[in-house]
Amino acid sequence: GERWVVSIPTPKPASPEPQSIPFGVVFEDQHLIVVEKPAGMVVHPAAGHEEDTLVNALLHHCSGSLSGIGGVMRPGIVHRLDKDTSGLLVAAKNDATHQGLAKQFATHRVSRKYVAVVWGCPKSKNATIQGLIGRSPRNRKKMAVLKQNGKFACTHYHVLASMEGEVSLLECRLETGRTHQIRVHMASIGHSIVGDPVYGRNRKINVPADSKVAARLRPKKRLLLHAKTLGFIHPI
């Protein structure tokens, strides 16, 4: 005796639309483009973010000339950065370039260095964090360091500076590229990234209001993680 009513949503275009969105171009030729993604921008369309993504901006900038290997929703996208992470990202304009770049990422031959501001100061100025990363059993929306059923991840970090012991500036070098890798690894050793709403804690800077640390960090309303170096062999 039940009665079911099905509402079919209005069809939407399968392909992202080009949008004129400003972003920084670091390098570009007929094969690939290296851009500086701003913090707050999603890389490709997904549920809840159908527009205003980097893909929309690239389609406009490159006049639709992007590789199709990633599918209609991810044209040209070889790798990703988190929405709240800023920095360098390479996109492919044709399939041959995409395949060549993807192979380098898969075999860990791409050099990727990040800078991050973390809470506190790690005891070791130079160290390596290793372990398995996978979905957190407590919260499926988060990643976590696991004892089993995860993917191997390796992050090397170097402390560049420490400001009054409250926060430190780190350079992080990735050997692998797991989801949220640096954020998860730094949080696992008790030094989460400043401004991280997922893996960090709501902490306040415990220094005088007129200190340099407070003046430099209090205006920041974002995750303080930036992809500063991207090194690869040009596939063509």
Side-chain angles (χ1 to χ4, degrees):
E2 293 182 341
R3 181 171 179 265
W4 292 77
V5 177
V6 179
S7 298
I8 301 176
T10 303
K12 295 182 179 180
S15 301
E17 293 294 323
Q19 290 180 275
S20 179
I21 305 172
F23 60 86
V25 177
V26 180
F27 174 83
E28 182 177 13
D29 62 14
Q30 68 267 37
H31 306 288
L32 56 84
I33 180 172
V34 178
V35 304
E36 185 166 356
K37 186 189 83 67
M41 176 183 279
V42 176
V43 171
H44 58 75
H49 296 283
E50 287 80 12
E51 298 180 337
D52 301 323
T53 71
L54 181 62
V55 162
N56 296 110
L58 286 171
L59 287 171
H60 179 271
H61 178 85
C62 301
S63 301
S65 177
L66 294 170
S67 73
I69 292 179
V72 293
M73 300 302 284
R74 304 182 185 184
I77 300 302
V78 183
H79 66 120
R80 297 181 296 173
L81 293 176
D82 294 344
K83 172 186 175 183
D84 297 320
T85 301
S86 61
L88 300 180
L89 183 144
V90 60
K93 292 186 176 183
N94 54 66
D95 291 355
T97 300
H98 195 131
Q99 291 171 333
L101 289 171
K103 185 176 182 180
Q104 292 183 56
F105 274 96
T107 55
H108 310 305
R109 287 185 288 144
V110 176
S111 174
R112 284 177 287 177
K113 294 181 181 179
Y114 292 69
V115 284
V117 179
V118 303
W119 290 109
C121 183
K123 293 181 180 179
S124 299
K125 301 302 181 183
N126 296 279
T128 297
I129 307 173
Q130 299 185 58
L132 302 178
I133 287 182
R135 292 287 173 185
S136 170
R138 298 180 180 179
N139 185 344
R140 302 298 293 175
K141 293 183 179 180
K142 297 175 62 175
M143 308 301 286
V145 175
L146 307 174
K147 293 183 179 179
Q148 58 183 2
N149 299 326
K151 294 182 178 180
F152 175 75
C154 181
T155 303
H156 306 279
Y157 75 82
H158 168 64
V159 178
L160 299 174
S162 182
M163 293 175 272
E164 300 182 36
E166 288 291 319
V167 294
S168 299
L169 178 66
L170 270 60
E171 179 182 87
C172 300
R173 181 172 61 84
L174 295 184
E175 274 198 26
T176 55
R178 308 306 178 196
T179 301
H180 299 173
Q181 179 172 319
I182 296 176
R183 298 165 65 182
V184 172
H185 270 168
M186 296 315 302
S188 73
I189 63 171
H191 299 285
S192 59
I193 297 176
V194 175
D196 193 332
V198 178
Y199 302 99
R201 298 177 181 176
N202 293 324
R203 296 177 58 177
K204 294 183 179 180
I205 303 170
N206 188 28
V207 294
D210 59 349
S211 73
K212 292 182 179 180
V213 175
R216 294 182 67 178
L217 293 184
R218 283 199 176 118
K220 307 294 184 183
K221 301 284 186 181
R222 54 155 293 193
L223 176 74
L224 297 187
L225 179 63
H226 178 77
K228 74 163 190 172
T229 302
L230 182 64
F232 55 87
I233 303 298
H234 196 299
I236 308 300

